[in-house]
Amino acid sequence: MTEACQPMRAKAEALTALHSKPASAIHGLVTSFAAFGMAAINAEDWRFLLPGLLMVPFALVRLWRMYEFQRRGIEVRSLSAWERSFFVCSVIIALSHGLFVLQAMLLTNHVFIISLSVGLCLAQMVGVVARNFASSSLVSAQALAMGIPCAIGWWMHPNPWFGVTAIFFVPFFLSARSLAAGIRNLLEGQRDALETIRRVAIRDSLTGVLNRKGFYEKLSEEQSQPDRGHYIAVLVDIDYFKAVNDSYGHSVGDALLVQIARRLERIEHEGLTVARLAGDEFAILARSHEPQSEMENICGRVLECFDDLFNCRGVYLSVKASVGAAAVKHADAQNSVIVYADLALYETKELGRDGYHIYRDEMQGKFERREILRRDLRQAVAAGELRLVYQPMGDIDTGAITTCEALMRWDHPTLGTISPNEFIPLAETADIVSEFTRWAVETAVAECVHWPSTVGVSVNLSACDLRRRDIVNTVFDVLIRYGLAPHRLTMEMTETALAEEPLMTRQVLHGLRALGVKTALDDFGTGYANFGYLIDYEFDKLKLDRSLINQVSEGSRARVLIAGLARTAQDLGLTIIAEGVERRKQFDTLRSLESIDTIQGWLLSRPIQSGQDIRTYLAHPFFDPERISEETDETISLQA
């Protein structure tokens, strides 16, 4: 609720309090009219009914308005009309009770009637303070409407002691306003405390921006203003934020999140709202009549927030973000704009991070496909739908096949063959990738025992596997059961996987090396190309990513870089493998560098089916480096 809306909300709350409990108003009306009737009967004077005749129509109107207020609710444009109506009726009712006391003093000396009138008036004043405390002006007006006639009646009574008695009653009427103010201040204090609690509940304690609850409350508020255009949601996910926490500690990570929140808040856009939904995920809510251009503008401004270094407690960090955006015309209970923005964010992450995508309808189809795959993944192993294919690696000089990498494929019963690039990330989110790895290790080892003793097999480990010590026990058990020499098994992992759990990874790799199993750093060159990993983890093999190999024949700079990387790694005792070798020209260039040991790629062989196909291929585990020829089919993807 904005500060500009606070007075209107307070007025609405006061009116709600005034119009509440019509049953008590009915009780007061019946009691007062009964008192007027008893006075008329006891005095045998019909004039005591006149205050009742004055009061009844206004009391009935007020009672009807109370029920109508509750039935119709509050209309902001008519708050003043409701207030005026209640004010007039209440003052006339109070005046009726004051006139009753005046009549009792002037028309009779009957003790019962005088006591009845004064008691009724005092009870009415207590009721005024208790019911109408929310309106100080109304309490004052009613106190005067009752107090003035009472005071006149007491002072005009022939017995002077009545005037003296009146002196004790006057402070009661004069204090009515302060009594009502005390009740009102007490309740307002409670309301302010609750408002403070609510503000704390919807704010992120670290960054001060809205949290998830506050963000969705803001989205609900926006639904009351449909004329402001489309709803725009932008989701921002910090790339590799976990690596920051692991490398520099949570205090630096927290400082980074605070600075990111401040930069996002400085994005210029009318009515823009920034929230932190979870860990390293932020959200932005905006409205616009031109959503497409505005989404592009906001996404661009978000990425600009990450152009400059972040100074976090003296640590300068270069951080990037993945962004997804969506817009809808009408907000709905399912918050579809957030769902669509999340799909766009997923697209950004899937295509390399550090950028943004805007939701397109075809993303929904991808989402539905992912959900089908996610649902069916758990049954894939038990249903026998997974299989391995093997891509050979050969010595670049001698042509000897040294290892075959096991590549997983999923033959989905309705969607056909699914690449691991698609289903492994889903298995990681479903926390079942370790089950896939155990199956792959056992299947690959069982196959490798049928190959020549000079040929080994290589299996990939995911980040999830490196977080579990039991992978070492799994490998040990499989090697024992199938009798495969440990050095013939290689476990591959990527830089990204290493960065997620460095301490646990170190323990897992130490355990694998203790078994005699070889280890390889895969896809080197796609991430940070951090040579620290080669020193800290003592790998046996280094696989240069295809993105580097694609450039090796394009210019001298690429060749110099790759040659330098390879020579440095060789000096550390690593075997250097070039991935994605697709062309003869690449092969010749790599061979001329004299620092590449092994090649892998379609130039050597496409992935081969397990069983008889791979055994037939390895019956003569050599290729002729001088006579190797590249593929001529340009219509197929070169991604293995």
Side-chain angles (χ1 to χ4, degrees):
M1 182 75 68
T2 62
E3 293 183 4
C5 296
Q6 291 291 345
M8 187 64 68
R9 186 180 70 172
K11 187 174 184 179
E13 289 178 351
L15 277 175
T16 301
L18 292 175
H19 288 79
S20 64
K21 299 182 179 179
S24 64
I26 295 175
H27 180 267
L29 172 62
V30 172
T31 301
S32 297
F33 199 82
F36 299 150
M38 286 189 291
I41 293 171
N42 278 273
E44 296 181 351
D45 188 345
W46 64 270
R47 287 178 296 179
F48 281 102
L49 295 176
L50 291 176
L53 295 176
L54 174 64
M55 178 191 73
V56 166
F58 289 96
L60 291 176
V61 169
R62 189 179 72 165
L63 186 61
W64 171 76
R65 294 283 284 178
M66 292 171 74
Y67 278 110
E68 190 70 7
F69 185 91
Q70 293 186 356
R71 184 181 68 85
R72 293 171 55 184
I74 298 176
E75 297 177 6
V76 174
R77 294 184 296 274
S78 61
L79 286 180
S80 297
W82 287 101
E83 187 177 30
R84 284 194 301 270
S85 170
F86 194 91
F87 187 93
V88 171
C89 291
S90 298
V91 170
I92 297 298
I93 292 170
L95 179 62
S96 301
H97 289 81
L99 292 176
F100 183 36
V101 175
L102 179 61
Q103 283 182 315
M105 297 295 179
L106 298 180
L107 298 180
T108 182
N109 284 323
H110 199 299
V111 175
F112 170 73
I113 296 176
I114 292 174
S115 301
L116 180 65
S117 65
V118 173
L120 180 65
C121 194
L122 293 177
Q124 182 69 13
M125 195 63 235
V126 172
V128 165
V129 173
R131 167 183 284 279
N132 301 340
F133 64 86
S135 174
S136 59
S137 60
L138 179 56
V139 172
S140 299
Q142 287 183 282
L144 291 173
M146 278 188 284
I148 291 174
C150 287
I152 293 173
W154 281 325
W155 287 104
M156 291 183 66
H157 196 277
N159 188 337
W161 287 105
F162 276 80
V164 175
T165 305
I167 295 174
F168 296 99
F169 284 97
V170 169
F172 174 75
F173 287 98
L174 294 179
S175 64
R177 181 186 178 94
S178 61
L179 289 172
I183 298 174
R184 185 170 60 254
N185 291 338
L186 176 62
L187 294 179
E188 285 180 352
Q190 292 179 343
R191 185 184 65 191
D192 291 342
L194 290 174
E195 181 65 24
T196 300
I197 293 172
R198 194 191 76 85
R199 283 198 301 269
V200 171
I202 64 173
R203 290 281 171 181
D204 177 51
S205 59
L206 175 64
T207 63
V209 299
L210 292 177
N211 59 18
R212 178 180 292 273
K213 182 177 184 295
F215 181 78
Y216 282 104
E217 281 189 12
K218 178 64 176 177
L219 184 57
S220 298
E221 278 185 28
E222 289 290 329
Q223 294 185 37
S224 64
Q225 304 179 60
D227 57 328
R228 293 185 58 196
H230 285 70
Y231 301 81
I232 296 175
V234 179
L235 298 183
V236 184
D237 194 82
I238 314 306
D239 294 341
Y240 307 113
F241 177 74
K242 191 176 185 304
V244 174
N245 276 339
D246 290 340
S247 301
Y248 302 103
H250 287 276
S251 61
V252 172
D254 289 347
L256 174 61
L257 292 173
V258 171
Q259 290 193 38
I260 290 172
R262 297 291 84 79
R263 291 189 186 184
L264 293 177
E265 285 185 312
R266 289 198 292 267
I267 296 176
E268 295 181 2
H269 187 284
E270 182 181 357
L272 182 141
T273 300
V274 177
R276 180 184 174 211
L277 300 186
D280 61 337
E281 185 177 8
F282 290 84
I284 294 174
L285 178 65
R287 300 289 291 275
S288 176
H289 292 285
E290 298 180 354
Q292 188 65 30
S293 60
E294 203 59 48
M295 280 190 291
E296 294 179 356
N297 175 51
I298 294 175
C299 289
R301 297 294 300 276
V302 168
L303 294 179
E304 288 176 5
C305 292
F306 295 86
D307 286 346
D308 296 331
L309 294 176
F310 293 88
N311 182 359
C312 303
R313 300 180 180 272
V315 178
Y316 288 87
L317 300 174
S318 176
V319 179
K320 299 301 179 182
S322 300
V323 182
V328 298
K329 178 62 177 175
H330 303 288
D332 50 44
Q334 290 74 34
N335 294 313
S336 57
V337 67
I338 307 299
V339 175
Y340 296 156
D342 194 48
L343 293 177
L345 175 62
Y346 187 93
E347 183 99 342
T348 303
K349 292 181 177 180
E350 195 175 47
L351 297 179
R353 303 176 184 262
D354 186 18
Y356 74 86
H357 282 83
I358 293 174
Y359 173 77
R360 305 182 309 277
D361 289 340
E362 54 265 32
M363 291 181 185
Q364 185 67 32
K366 291 183 179 180
F367 170 74
E368 292 172 356
R369 176 183 171 90
R370 285 198 300 271
E371 290 306 300
I372 292 173
L373 295 179
R374 199 190 309 273
R375 180 197 66 198
D376 296 342
L377 267 174
R378 296 186 181 277
Q379 306 300 323
V381 174
E385 295 169 0
L386 294 180
R387 60 183 172 88
L388 293 180
V389 294
Y390 299 90
Q391 187 169 40
M393 307 177 200
D395 187 287
I396 197 171
D397 294 318
T398 67
I401 302 299
T402 57
T403 309
C404 293
E405 181 179 2
L407 303 172
M408 199 178 300
R409 299 290 185 264
W410 178 17
D411 293 325
H412 192 276
T414 58
L415 299 178
T417 300
I418 312 296
S419 165
N421 293 335
E422 184 174 8
F423 69 81
I424 290 298
L426 296 177
E428 289 178 342
T429 60
D431 198 28
I432 58 173
V433 70
S434 294
E435 179 183 349
F436 284 24
T437 302
R438 285 193 294 269
W439 173 86
V441 170
E442 180 165 1
T443 304
V445 169
E447 177 62 49
C448 186
V449 295
H450 298 288
W451 300 347
S453 60
T454 55
V455 181
V457 69
S458 178
V459 180
N460 291 279
L461 291 179
S462 72
C464 294
D465 297 317
L466 295 175
R467 292 195 290 266
R468 305 169 68 103
R469 290 190 184 93
D470 60 357
I471 186 62
V472 178
N473 295 330
T474 297
V475 171
F476 176 73
D477 177 65
V478 169
L479 291 175
I480 292 297
R481 282 195 288 121
Y482 289 94
L484 185 71
H487 71 271
R488 295 180 62 190
L489 175 62
T490 301
M491 305 303 291
E492 299 185 11
M493 58 219 69
T494 64
E495 286 183 273
T496 304
L498 293 176
E500 290 195 15
E501 292 288 347
L503 181 60
M504 185 64 73
T505 296
R506 196 182 306 276
Q507 295 176 0
V508 169
L509 291 183
H510 179 76
L512 292 174
R513 289 178 62 84
L515 295 179
V517 173
K518 302 295 184 181
T519 57
L521 180 58
D522 195 12
D523 298 338
F524 190 77
T526 57
Y528 297 107
N530 190 340
F531 273 90
Y533 290 139
L534 304 181
I535 298 173
D536 294 341
Y537 294 104
E538 299 184 12
F539 289 101
D540 298 292
K541 303 176 183 179
L542 176 68
K543 301 184 73 173
L544 300 179
D545 187 71
R546 67 178 62 248
S547 60
L548 289 175
I549 303 307
N550 286 340
Q551 303 175 55
V552 73
S553 59
E554 295 178 1
S556 59
R557 293 175 63 87
R559 287 196 296 273
V560 170
L561 174 62
I562 292 173
L565 289 173
R567 279 194 299 270
T568 301
Q570 270 189 337
D571 290 342
L572 294 173
L574 280 74
T575 299
I576 312 304
I577 303 168
E579 291 186 287
V581 180
E582 323 294 2
R583 297 287 179 260
R584 176 73 200 200
K585 188 175 182 181
Q586 293 174 329
F587 175 81
D588 291 339
T589 303
L590 291 170
R591 196 178 186 191
S592 67
L593 297 179
E594 298 182 352
S595 53
I596 303 297
D597 300 302
T598 306
I599 65 165
Q600 177 182 0
W602 282 16
L603 184 64
L604 176 58
S605 173
R606 298 190 189 189
I608 304 170
Q609 297 292 335
S610 61
Q612 192 57 47
D613 288 350
I614 186 65
R615 295 172 194 176
T616 300
Y617 178 87
L618 293 176
H620 302 283
F622 294 93
F623 72 96
D624 187 348
E626 304 301 332
R627 301 181 61 184
I628 192 170
S629 61
E630 65 185 77
E631 283 280 355
T632 58
D633 185 356
E634 300 291 345
T635 64
I636 55 178
S637 169
L638 295 181
Q639 180 69 38

